[in-house]
Amino acid sequence: DAGITQSPRYKITETGRQVTLMCHQTWSHSYMFWYRQDLGHGLRLIYYSAAADITDKGEVPDGYVVSRSKTENFPLTLESATRSQTSVYFCASSEGDRLNTEAFFGQGTRLTVV
Amino acid sequence: AQTVTQSQPEMSVQEAETVTLSCTYDTSESNYYLFWYKQPPSRQMILVIRQEAYKQQNATENRFSVNFQKAAKSFSLKISDSQLGDTAMYFCAFMRSSGTYKYIFGTGTRLKVLA
């Protein structure tokens, strides 16, 4: 299916465990993003990637790791989950040019750290 | 660094009425893009409307229009003839037009359309 998909949709994990959220897009978009959504904070950028093997920190990167070995995949890893990382996580992608400015979002992953 | 501020956490409007959501931003860039995204209860983020800063004409998309005031760094969204399906969280977003194309979002406004 064409589009951008996240997995899993829901995840419960324990404090201290490593967890990876997956993101896959079929458009070959250059840019990919990870945001977290929390009440009162809106969407905050965790990490983004301008192309394969190019990643950069966003506003709230601490405790997260990303990689982008292939253009279509952009996994987000919580190395040692904490309760403060309980959130809804969104992956997004875009063409990354001035003619195509729309960002397309996945359905989100609700992560609960207990 | 760019910032986006939405000062109205929640709003409500009667069906068929008009409502305006506010957004202000801060940037030193001369050209950039502004967006309004809608997030209904399904959680899916949907682009409502976009505006390029160098275009003076305000963008419109059917019942949705913006009031873009570049000097005031203001970008409000007007929804006319509100419908129950407009009930959602609305996010204002900023993107530079050069360099890295990352999106900076505001904290959102939760809009409820009342029957």
Side-chain angles (χ1 to χ4, degrees), chain A residues 35 37 90 98 101 103 105 108, chain B residues 33 37 39 44 50 97 103:
Chain A
Y35 290 89
Q37 182 178 5
F90 285 94
R98 293 188 290 175
T101 57
F105 285 79
Chain B
Y33 297 89
Y37 275 86
Q39 185 184 46
Q44 184 64 51
R50 83 190 90 189
S97 66
Y103 302 81

Side-chain angles (χ1 to χ4, degrees), chain B:
Chain B
Q2 292 83 14
T3 59
V4 177
T5 301
Q6 294 179 250
S7 58
Q8 305 153 314
E10 294 186 354
M11 297 187 72
S12 62
V13 62
Q14 288 294 138
E15 198 175 7
E17 297 294 309
T18 295
V19 64
T20 299
L21 280 56
S22 301
C23 173
T24 59
Y25 58 93
D26 189 24
T27 184
S28 58
E29 306 278 332
S30 59
N31 197 25
Y32 43 87
Y33 297 89
L34 296 164
F35 308 83
W36 280 98
Y37 275 86
K38 170 184 177 181
Q39 185 184 46
S42 67
R43 233 165 51 191
Q44 184 64 51
M45 294 283 286
I46 303 163
L47 178 65
V48 175
I49 199 165
R50 83 190 90 189
Q51 174 85 39
E52 188 164 4
Y54 82 84
K55 293 183 178 178
Q56 294 190 347
Q57 187 173 5
N58 288 325
T60 62
E61 289 286 344
N62 301 313
R63 298 183 295 107
F64 299 88
S65 62
V66 298
N67 183 6
F68 173 49
Q69 302 288 329
K70 190 173 184 180
K73 297 181 181 176
S74 171
F75 183 62
S76 60
L77 174 70
K78 186 172 82 170
I79 306 174
S80 304
D81 185 25
S82 297
Q83 301 175 359
L84 296 177
D86 296 332
T87 292
M89 182 75 95
Y90 288 82
F91 291 100
C92 179
F94 171 99
M95 187 186 83
R96 296 169 60 189
S97 66
S98 61
T100 52
Y101 296 101
K102 61 182 179 180
Y103 302 81
I104 307 301
F105 285 85
T107 52
T109 296
R110 185 175 301 280
L111 176 68
K112 187 169 185 178
V113 180
L114 306 171

Side-chain angles (χ1 to χ4, degrees), chain A residues 71-83:
Chain A
T71 299
E72 61 266 30
N73 296 324
F74 192 40
L76 175 74
T77 297
L78 288 67
E79 293 187 298
S80 177
T82 65
R83 290 195 179 89

